[in-house]
Amino acid sequence: MKIAIFTDTFLPQVNGVTNTLRRFGEYLKANHIDYIFVTPEQKSESDLPYNIEAFLSTPFFLYPECRLTFPNLIRLNKRLDAFGPDIIFTMTEFTMGLCGLNYGKTHNIPVVSNYSTNFSTILKSYKLGVLEKLTDKYLAWFHQEATRTVTPSVESEKILKKLGVLRTGIFGRGIDFDHFSRDKRSVQLRKELGLEGKLGLLYVGRLSHEKDLDVLRDAMQLLNHTYSDRIQLVITGEGPMENELKKTMPDNVVFTGYKRGEALAEIYASCDIFAFPSSFETFGNVVLEAFASGLPVVGVNKGGVKTLIDPGYNGFLVEPNDSEAFAFALERLIVGDIMRHQFGTRGRNYAKGKSWDAVFNTLLEDFATIIHDYERLPELELKSYYQEKNSIA
């Protein structure tokens, strides 16, 4: 099987898509599967250990992690013709995704699209809701043109159904269970973060408005009426809201900037409760990372996160944008030592069964089925076939 993977965001950018692609690249190399990443050009491109064809790009103003790319179509077609892909996988829906969709359509190659970013929420957070309908129409068209669309969770699949996208499937996300571990708890790091004698609350992710970080800020202010001497919030990440948060967060909040690898694993393990107020997520990789690190999680009852947290078992779910409810859920874990440790243990057991290999094995099995169907069925029958197959499922 030869797979051509198109994406508008790639390493060294940091987000859920690039993390998934990094893992996917490692999986494909380890299993000797032919692939090519078609990506925006990055400064560190030559340092990345993957088979890449990159093109000139510039950051997208609303979401810099995604880039507007200007591909040389002659060079692209020549490279793809030489590679001879059996299937096209578009991880994003914009410039590069369109190139992948077009190549698949013109060369009669099946196209699997991925939906993993809720752009409607991003537009609303930047007060650009007027563009929401246009964006939804475009996304509906894009994914309807694909042979099949995969998405990380049942909740995000429901969004696709509302858009009229019927040929869907689940492409979950995994966790490197051995990398994230309680064993990496560091007394020295806790001292550096001001956690000595305190419980460490942790947020990991992009510092941006769509992550609902105002909810976390307000919850901390409420908690500080009673627990200011018992808690410290650690915020790990970077983004456009960083300066605002540094000015408005209480004094018992520390910012670490972006961390990865062992440094990130140590931060997870050295804290005690994961606080994730975002209602934006189609999955929520950081929740799995927190679980694997032995942390109970307080999250929001919306999107992919609600499918990961079992309320009252490994964490709590509250309604979106409710700072008081979020603070109350955190308070239950702050005062409940036994509950906090039990939830952490249960979360770690849950994460243990979510390996990346299992996720990618399933994805490749789906790819093989789609390729097989494409080879057997006449072109005009494919669309009705997938619609019928989806309705049966």
Side-chain angles (χ1 to χ4, degrees):
M1 183 188 304
K2 293 184 176 182
I3 309 169
I5 306 150
F6 289 74
T7 178
D8 294 281
T9 179
F10 200 61
L11 301 168
Q13 299 295 327
V14 181
N15 53 62
V17 170
T18 59
N19 179 55
T20 300
L21 289 174
R22 177 172 62 86
R23 296 291 183 183
F24 195 29
E26 292 169 357
Y27 171 90
L28 293 172
K29 289 195 301 179
N31 289 277
H32 307 291
I33 297 168
D34 288 337
Y35 73 94
I36 183 172
F37 285 123
V38 185
T39 75
E41 192 173 61
Q42 303 285 346
K43 291 181 180 178
S44 63
E45 173 203 342
S46 60
D47 299 327
L48 295 173
Y50 306 109
N51 183 25
I52 299 171
E53 187 72 17
F55 296 92
L56 181 68
S57 68
T58 186
F60 180 48
F61 76 101
L62 285 179
Y63 206 70
E65 284 83 352
C66 281
R67 301 178 69 88
L68 294 175
T69 311
F70 309 97
N72 180 323
L73 294 180
I74 295 176
R75 174 161 66 92
L76 174 60
N77 288 333
K78 184 177 180 180
R79 180 70 187 274
L80 289 174
D81 289 347
F83 178 68
D86 299 304
I87 194 164
I88 304 292
F89 187 31
T90 62
M91 277 296 289
T92 54
E93 300 96 337
F94 297 102
T95 318
M96 299 316 300
L98 278 171
C99 287
L101 181 63
N102 181 66
Y103 189 87
K105 289 288 186 180
T106 56
H107 291 78
N108 197 28
I109 298 171
V111 178
V112 175
S113 63
N114 172 70
Y115 173 79
S116 58
T117 302
N118 189 339
F119 288 101
S120 294
T121 301
I122 295 176
L123 291 169
K124 287 179 181 177
S125 70
Y126 286 95
K127 296 181 170 47
L128 292 171
V130 66
L131 299 177
E132 184 179 351
K133 288 185 178 180
L134 290 174
T135 302
D136 284 347
K137 285 183 179 180
Y138 171 75
L139 292 175
W141 170 81
F142 182 92
H143 291 295
Q144 286 168 345
E145 287 294 305
T147 311
R148 183 166 292 272
T149 299
V150 294
T151 191
S153 67
V154 172
E155 291 303 310
S156 55
E157 191 174 31
K158 290 178 182 177
I159 296 174
L160 286 170
K161 300 293 187 186
K162 288 181 180 179
L163 292 175
V165 181
L166 302 179
R167 302 183 300 278
T168 61
I170 300 298
F171 168 35
R173 300 296 186 264
I175 183 71
D176 185 345
F177 187 76
D178 294 328
H179 178 67
F180 296 98
S181 168
R182 283 174 168 168
D183 295 339
K184 295 183 179 180
R185 192 173 179 90
S186 167
V187 174
Q188 179 59 36
L189 179 59
R190 284 182 59 82
K191 182 177 180 180
E192 293 172 2
L193 295 174
L195 296 177
E196 287 183 303
K198 295 184 178 182
L199 288 175
L201 312 185
L202 175 66
Y203 168 86
V204 175
R206 190 169 187 259
L207 307 187
S208 54
H209 291 280
E210 72 270 11
K211 297 291 188 176
D212 299 319
L213 291 170
D214 55 325
V215 173
L216 182 56
R217 177 180 57 206
D218 294 345
M220 277 297 295
Q221 291 170 344
L222 290 170
L223 289 170
N224 276 346
H225 290 310
T226 306
Y227 305 104
S228 61
D229 59 341
R230 290 188 57 185
I231 60 174
Q232 177 99 332
L233 172 63
V234 179
I235 293 181
T236 296
E238 297 174 348
M241 202 177 175
E242 184 172 352
N243 290 335
E244 176 187 338
L245 290 171
K246 286 181 176 179
K247 292 177 182 177
T248 58
M249 278 287 187
D251 292 337
N252 56 336
V253 178
V254 59
F255 294 81
T256 70
Y258 167 70
K259 299 293 182 182
R260 65 182 301 174
E262 287 298 312
L264 178 61
E266 280 193 6
I267 286 176
Y268 273 114
S270 299
C271 292
D272 304 284
I273 301 167
F274 193 66
F276 197 59
S278 174
S279 58
F280 161 76
E281 310 304 311
T282 54
F283 185 76
N285 298 67
V286 291
V287 173
L288 274 187
E289 293 172 356
F291 278 156
S293 304
L295 303 188
V297 179
V298 175
V300 170
N301 191 29
K302 186 176 180 181
V305 170
K306 69 182 289 186
T307 68
L308 300 175
I309 298 173
D310 187 350
Y313 185 77
N314 55 20
F316 292 114
L317 290 171
V318 303
E319 293 307 305
N321 300 306
D322 190 336
S323 300
E324 291 186 5
F326 201 82
F328 178 69
L330 288 171
E331 182 180 25
R332 293 182 67 183
L333 292 170
I334 290 168
V335 301
D337 293 343
I338 295 175
M339 177 193 294
R340 190 172 63 250
H341 290 297
Q342 286 179 337
F343 282 16
T345 297
R346 293 166 184 168
R348 181 157 171 78
N349 289 337
Y350 174 82
K352 191 172 184 178
K354 303 293 181 179
S355 74
W356 278 112
D357 277 358
V359 169
F360 293 134
N361 285 342
T362 300
L363 182 67
L364 267 292
E365 289 171 3
D366 290 343
F367 283 3
T369 299
I370 291 169
I371 292 168
H372 178 262
D373 292 341
Y374 235 80
E375 291 173 346
R376 294 187 61 189
L377 292 174
E379 182 178 355
L380 292 177
E381 295 181 17
L382 284 170
K383 187 172 183 179
S384 61
Y385 168 80
Y386 281 107
Q387 286 175 332
E388 180 182 353
K389 189 173 183 179
N390 186 75
S391 65
I392 293 172

